[in-house]
Amino acid sequence: MVDVIRAWHPAVPQVQEVLHARFDHHAYPAHTHDSWTVLLIDDGAVTYDLDRHDHLATPAAVTLLPPQVPHDGRSALPEQGFRKRVLYLDPGWLPPATINAVTDSPTLLGADALSTVTDIHAALADPADAFAAECGVLALREIANSRLVPATETAPDAPLARRLREMLDDRLLESFTIAEAAAELGAHRSHLVRVFTTTFGIAPHRYVIGRRVDRARRLLLTGRSPAEAAAESGFHDQAHLTRHFRSTLGTTPAIFSRR
Protein backbone atom coordinates (compact mmCIF):
# COMPACT_ATOMS: atom_id res chain seq x y z
CA MET A 1 0.00 0.00 0.00
CA VAL A 2 2.93 2.31 0.57
CA ASP A 3 6.18 2.51 -1.39
CA VAL A 4 8.13 4.91 0.79
CA ILE A 5 7.56 6.43 4.21
CA ARG A 6 9.91 8.28 6.51
CA ALA A 7 8.99 10.16 9.67
CA TRP A 8 11.00 11.85 12.40
CA HIS A 9 10.83 14.43 15.16
CA PRO A 10 13.44 17.14 14.58
CA ALA A 11 14.89 19.27 17.36
CA VAL A 12 13.25 22.40 15.95
CA PRO A 13 10.84 24.57 17.96
CA GLN A 14 7.18 24.31 16.89
CA VAL A 15 7.86 21.29 14.62
CA GLN A 16 6.20 18.21 16.09
CA GLU A 17 6.90 15.85 13.23
CA VAL A 18 8.11 15.61 9.64
CA LEU A 19 6.70 13.03 7.25
CA HIS A 20 7.86 12.15 3.73
CA ALA A 21 5.82 9.52 1.91
CA ARG A 22 4.83 8.09 -1.44
CA PHE A 23 1.50 6.29 -1.71
CA ASP A 24 0.29 4.27 -4.66
CA HIS A 25 -3.20 3.34 -3.51
CA HIS A 26 -3.78 4.48 0.05
CA ALA A 27 -6.81 6.67 0.80
CA TYR A 28 -6.97 8.44 4.14
CA PRO A 29 -10.27 8.12 6.00
CA ALA A 30 -11.73 11.14 7.78
CA HIS A 31 -9.53 12.04 10.74
CA THR A 32 -8.18 15.02 12.65
CA HIS A 33 -4.83 16.18 14.04
CA ASP A 34 -4.06 18.21 17.12
CA SER A 35 -1.49 20.16 15.11
CA TRP A 36 -1.31 22.41 12.08
CA THR A 37 -0.53 20.36 8.97
CA VAL A 38 1.54 21.93 6.18
CA LEU A 39 1.24 19.77 3.07
CA LEU A 40 3.53 19.93 0.06
CA ILE A 41 2.71 17.68 -2.93
CA ASP A 42 5.79 16.77 -4.96
CA ASP A 43 4.22 14.41 -7.51
CA GLY A 44 0.62 13.75 -8.48
CA ALA A 45 -2.34 15.48 -6.87
CA VAL A 46 -4.56 14.84 -3.86
CA THR A 47 -8.25 15.48 -3.58
CA TYR A 48 -9.53 15.86 -0.04
CA ASP A 49 -12.59 16.81 1.92
CA LEU A 50 -12.02 19.43 4.62
CA ASP A 51 -15.00 20.09 6.87
CA ARG A 52 -17.33 18.58 4.22
CA HIS A 53 -16.00 20.69 1.32
CA ASP A 54 -13.91 19.31 -1.56
CA HIS A 55 -10.42 20.67 -2.27
CA LEU A 56 -7.42 19.80 -4.42
CA ALA A 57 -3.75 19.82 -3.40
CA THR A 58 -1.18 20.05 -6.20
CA PRO A 59 2.55 20.80 -6.48
CA ALA A 60 1.66 24.39 -7.41
CA ALA A 61 0.75 25.52 -3.89
CA VAL A 62 1.05 24.82 -0.17
CA THR A 63 -1.92 23.33 1.67
CA LEU A 64 -2.71 24.19 5.28
CA LEU A 65 -4.91 21.90 7.36
CA PRO A 66 -5.97 23.31 10.74
CA PRO A 67 -6.00 21.41 14.02
CA GLN A 68 -9.19 19.63 15.07
CA VAL A 69 -10.85 19.97 11.63
CA PRO A 70 -11.64 16.62 9.96
CA HIS A 71 -10.21 15.82 6.56
CA ASP A 72 -9.53 12.81 4.36
CA GLY A 73 -7.42 12.37 1.22
CA ARG A 74 -6.83 10.27 -1.88
CA SER A 75 -5.05 10.48 -5.22
CA ALA A 76 -6.85 12.76 -7.64
CA LEU A 77 -5.34 10.99 -10.66
CA PRO A 78 -6.64 7.53 -11.65
CA GLU A 79 -3.99 4.79 -11.59
CA GLN A 80 -1.41 7.21 -10.22
CA GLY A 81 -0.21 7.67 -6.65
CA PHE A 82 1.24 10.75 -5.05
CA ARG A 83 4.34 11.85 -3.22
CA LYS A 84 4.17 14.35 -0.38
CA ARG A 85 6.13 16.09 2.36
CA VAL A 86 4.34 17.14 5.53
CA LEU A 87 5.14 19.36 8.50
CA TYR A 88 3.12 18.94 11.69
CA LEU A 89 3.40 22.18 13.66
CA ASP A 90 2.34 23.12 17.18
CA PRO A 91 -1.35 24.08 17.66
CA GLY A 92 -0.24 27.58 18.62
CA TRP A 93 1.71 28.12 15.40
CA LEU A 94 -1.20 30.20 14.08
CA PRO A 95 -3.82 31.97 16.23
CA PRO A 96 -7.05 30.04 16.95
CA ALA A 97 -9.00 32.81 15.23
CA THR A 98 -7.50 31.78 11.87
CA ILE A 99 -8.82 28.20 11.97
CA ASN A 100 -12.14 29.01 10.31
CA ALA A 101 -10.43 31.09 7.63
CA VAL A 102 -8.01 28.27 6.78
CA THR A 103 -10.89 25.79 6.76
CA ASP A 104 -12.64 27.92 4.15
CA SER A 105 -9.47 28.50 2.07
CA PRO A 106 -6.75 25.93 2.84
CA THR A 107 -4.64 26.60 -0.25
CA LEU A 108 -1.76 28.99 0.41
CA LEU A 109 -0.87 30.41 -2.98
CA GLY A 110 2.27 32.27 -3.94
CA ALA A 111 5.86 31.49 -4.87
CA ASP A 112 7.02 32.84 -1.49
CA ALA A 113 5.00 30.25 0.46
CA LEU A 114 6.11 27.43 -1.83
CA SER A 115 9.80 28.35 -1.66
CA THR A 116 9.65 28.86 2.12
CA VAL A 117 8.23 25.36 2.73
CA THR A 118 10.74 23.86 0.30
CA ASP A 119 13.58 25.59 2.16
CA ILE A 120 12.25 24.35 5.52
CA HIS A 121 12.36 20.75 4.33
CA ALA A 122 15.85 21.24 2.91
CA ALA A 123 17.03 22.59 6.27
CA LEU A 124 15.35 19.76 8.19
CA ALA A 125 17.42 17.24 6.23
CA ASP A 126 20.51 18.25 8.24
CA PRO A 127 20.42 18.72 12.04
CA ALA A 128 23.12 21.37 11.62
CA ASP A 129 20.55 23.54 9.82
CA ALA A 130 17.99 23.49 12.65
CA PHE A 131 18.25 27.27 13.08
CA ALA A 132 17.45 27.82 9.40
CA ALA A 133 14.44 25.49 9.71
CA GLU A 134 13.19 27.40 12.76
CA CYS A 135 13.48 30.71 10.92
CA GLY A 136 11.61 29.23 7.98
CA VAL A 137 8.74 28.08 10.18
CA LEU A 138 8.44 31.61 11.58
CA ALA A 139 8.61 33.12 8.10
CA LEU A 140 5.85 30.80 6.90
CA ARG A 141 3.74 31.89 9.86
CA GLU A 142 4.05 35.52 8.79
CA ILE A 143 3.11 34.65 5.21
CA ALA A 144 0.03 32.74 6.33
CA ASN A 145 -1.05 35.39 8.84
CA SER A 146 -0.82 38.11 6.22
CA ARG A 147 -3.33 36.31 3.99
CA LEU A 148 -5.85 35.07 6.53
CA VAL A 149 -8.93 36.94 7.69
CA PRO A 150 -10.41 35.49 10.90
CA ALA A 151 -13.92 34.16 10.35
CA THR A 152 -16.74 34.11 12.87
CA GLU A 153 -18.46 31.01 14.16
CA THR A 154 -22.24 31.00 13.83
CA ALA A 155 -23.32 27.45 14.73
CA PRO A 156 -25.75 27.80 17.68
CA ASP A 157 -24.79 24.46 19.23
CA ALA A 158 -21.05 24.91 18.82
CA PRO A 159 -20.44 25.51 22.56
CA LEU A 160 -21.93 22.11 23.44
CA ALA A 161 -19.87 20.44 20.71
CA ARG A 162 -16.73 22.15 22.00
CA ARG A 163 -17.44 20.95 25.54
CA LEU A 164 -17.68 17.37 24.29
CA ARG A 165 -14.48 17.77 22.30
CA GLU A 166 -12.70 19.08 25.39
CA MET A 167 -13.98 16.07 27.33
CA LEU A 168 -12.76 13.68 24.65
CA ASP A 169 -9.36 15.37 24.64
CA ASP A 170 -9.06 15.35 28.43
CA ARG A 171 -10.11 11.69 28.70
CA LEU A 172 -8.48 10.43 25.51
CA LEU A 173 -6.93 7.41 27.20
CA GLU A 174 -10.08 6.46 29.12
CA SER A 175 -13.02 4.31 28.13
CA PHE A 176 -16.42 5.89 28.66
CA THR A 177 -19.76 5.99 26.90
CA ILE A 178 -21.70 8.70 25.11
CA ALA A 179 -24.39 8.13 27.72
CA GLU A 180 -21.94 9.07 30.47
CA ALA A 181 -20.75 12.12 28.52
CA ALA A 182 -24.33 13.22 27.83
CA ALA A 183 -25.24 12.91 31.51
CA GLU A 184 -22.21 14.98 32.52
CA LEU A 185 -22.95 17.65 29.91
CA GLY A 186 -26.70 17.69 30.52
CA ALA A 187 -27.64 16.73 26.96
CA HIS A 188 -29.47 13.89 25.24
CA ARG A 189 -27.16 11.24 23.76
CA SER A 190 -28.51 11.52 20.19
CA HIS A 191 -28.46 15.31 20.28
CA LEU A 192 -24.88 15.32 21.58
CA VAL A 193 -23.63 13.07 18.77
CA ARG A 194 -25.57 15.04 16.17
CA VAL A 195 -24.28 18.41 17.41
CA PHE A 196 -20.67 17.20 17.47
CA THR A 197 -20.89 15.68 14.00
CA THR A 198 -22.63 18.74 12.55
CA THR A 199 -20.18 21.19 14.11
CA PHE A 200 -16.91 19.37 13.40
CA GLY A 201 -17.85 17.18 10.44
CA ILE A 202 -16.75 13.96 12.11
CA ALA A 203 -18.42 11.53 14.50
CA PRO A 204 -17.11 11.48 18.09
CA HIS A 205 -15.72 7.95 17.80
CA ARG A 206 -13.84 8.80 14.60
CA TYR A 207 -12.43 11.88 16.30
CA VAL A 208 -11.14 9.80 19.22
CA ILE A 209 -9.55 7.20 16.92
CA GLY A 210 -7.77 9.93 14.95
CA ARG A 211 -6.41 11.56 18.09
CA ARG A 212 -5.22 8.20 19.44
CA VAL A 213 -3.47 7.35 16.17
CA ASP A 214 -1.76 10.74 16.28
CA ARG A 215 -0.56 10.06 19.80
CA ALA A 216 0.65 6.57 18.91
CA ARG A 217 2.56 7.90 15.92
CA ARG A 218 4.39 10.44 18.08
CA LEU A 219 5.23 7.75 20.65
CA LEU A 220 6.64 5.50 17.93
CA LEU A 221 8.91 8.34 16.86
CA THR A 222 10.30 8.51 20.41
CA GLY A 223 11.27 4.83 20.28
CA ARG A 224 8.26 3.19 21.92
CA SER A 225 7.39 -0.27 20.63
CA PRO A 226 4.01 -0.76 18.90
CA ALA A 227 2.73 -2.57 21.98
CA GLU A 228 3.82 0.28 24.25
CA ALA A 229 2.39 2.90 21.91
CA ALA A 230 -0.94 1.05 21.87
CA ALA A 231 -1.10 0.90 25.66
CA GLU A 232 -0.14 4.56 26.06
CA SER A 233 -2.58 5.81 23.40
CA GLY A 234 -5.81 4.30 24.66
CA PHE A 235 -6.03 1.32 22.31
CA HIS A 236 -7.20 -2.02 23.62
CA ASP A 237 -4.08 -3.81 22.38
CA GLN A 238 -1.50 -3.77 19.59
CA ALA A 239 -3.87 -5.41 17.11
CA HIS A 240 -6.45 -2.69 17.77
CA LEU A 241 -3.82 -0.01 17.13
CA THR A 242 -2.55 -1.76 14.00
CA ARG A 243 -6.02 -1.94 12.44
CA HIS A 244 -6.71 1.77 12.86
CA PHE A 245 -3.12 2.84 12.16
CA ARG A 246 -3.14 1.01 8.83
CA SER A 247 -6.53 2.46 7.92
CA THR A 248 -5.40 6.00 8.70
CA LEU A 249 -1.76 6.04 7.56
CA GLY A 250 -1.56 3.21 5.05
CA THR A 251 1.10 1.29 6.92
CA THR A 252 1.52 -0.64 10.17
CA PRO A 253 3.03 0.74 13.40
CA ALA A 254 5.95 -1.68 13.10
CA ILE A 255 6.86 -0.55 9.58
CA PHE A 256 6.34 3.10 10.48
CA SER A 257 8.70 2.90 13.48
CA ARG A 258 11.40 1.17 11.43
CA ARG A 259 11.29 3.84 8.75
Side-chain angles (χ1 to χ4, degrees):
M1 295 179 67
V2 57
D3 286 341
V4 178
I5 186 168
R6 182 187 175 215
W8 72 99
H9 172 61
V12 175
Q14 293 193 293
V15 182
Q16 294 185 347
E17 183 185 339
V18 185
L19 174 71
H20 293 181
R22 174 185 171 82
F23 290 103
D24 286 333
H25 307 292
H26 180 61
Y28 286 94
H31 63 287
T32 66
H33 298 291
D34 61 357
S35 56
W36 284 93
T37 302
V38 181
L39 172 64
L40 187 64
I41 300 296
D42 290 313
D43 289 312
V46 173
T47 180
Y48 64 97
D49 180 290
L50 179 65
D51 195 31
R52 294 155 290 185
H53 292 86
D54 292 331
H55 298 279
L56 182 68
T58 73
V62 174
T63 298
L64 297 182
L65 302 176
Q68 312 291 12
V69 180
H71 57 278
D72 58 15
R74 68 206 64 82
S75 176
L77 305 174
E79 306 304 322
Q80 181 177 336
F82 59 91
R83 186 163 57 90
K84 67 175 185 176
R85 287 178 285 174
V86 186
L87 301 173
Y88 296 99
L89 306 178
D90 285 349
W93 177 65
L94 287 177
T98 62
I99 288 178
N100 286 348
V102 174
T103 302
D104 291 340
S105 301
T107 303
L108 193 59
L109 298 171
D112 54 348
L114 200 59
S115 63
T116 298
V117 175
T118 300
D119 289 345
I120 292 171
H121 280 285
L124 288 169
D126 188 343
D129 288 333
F131 182 70
E134 181 183 5
C135 290
V137 169
L138 294 173
L140 183 63
R141 181 183 187 276
E142 294 305 310
I143 293 171
N145 264 328
S146 69
R147 297 175 190 174
L148 297 173
V149 178
T152 57
E153 187 178 77
T154 58
D157 286 321
L160 177 60
R162 283 198 299 268
R163 288 170 63 198
L164 176 57
R165 185 172 70 182
E166 290 169 0
M167 179 184 294
L168 297 178
D169 289 342
D170 291 342
R171 301 170 63 177
L172 188 64
L173 307 185
E174 302 176 23
S175 295
F176 63 95
T177 66
I178 285 293
E180 292 170 334
E184 188 170 330
L185 296 174
H188 190 276
R189 288 174 295 175
S190 298
H191 179 66
L192 188 59
V193 172
R194 182 169 60 251
V195 164
F196 188 95
T197 304
T198 300
T199 302
F200 299 120
I202 191 170
H205 75 281
R206 289 298 317 164
Y207 175 81
V208 168
I209 289 298
R211 290 297 316 281
R212 287 177 174 174
V213 168
D214 254 3
R215 179 179 172 85
R217 186 177 64 193
R218 304 263 164 75
L219 290 170
L220 291 169
L221 289 178
T222 67
R224 298 289 206 287
S225 70
E228 291 170 331
E232 295 177 37
S233 301
F235 288 98
H236 180 69
D237 53 25
Q238 184 176 339
H240 188 208
L241 166 63
T242 297
R243 183 168 72 253
H244 289 293
F245 200 96
R246 190 201 304 272
S247 173
T248 301
L249 298 177
T251 190
T252 66
I255 294 175
F256 181 87
S257 60
R258 288 200 299 269
R259 293 179 175 175

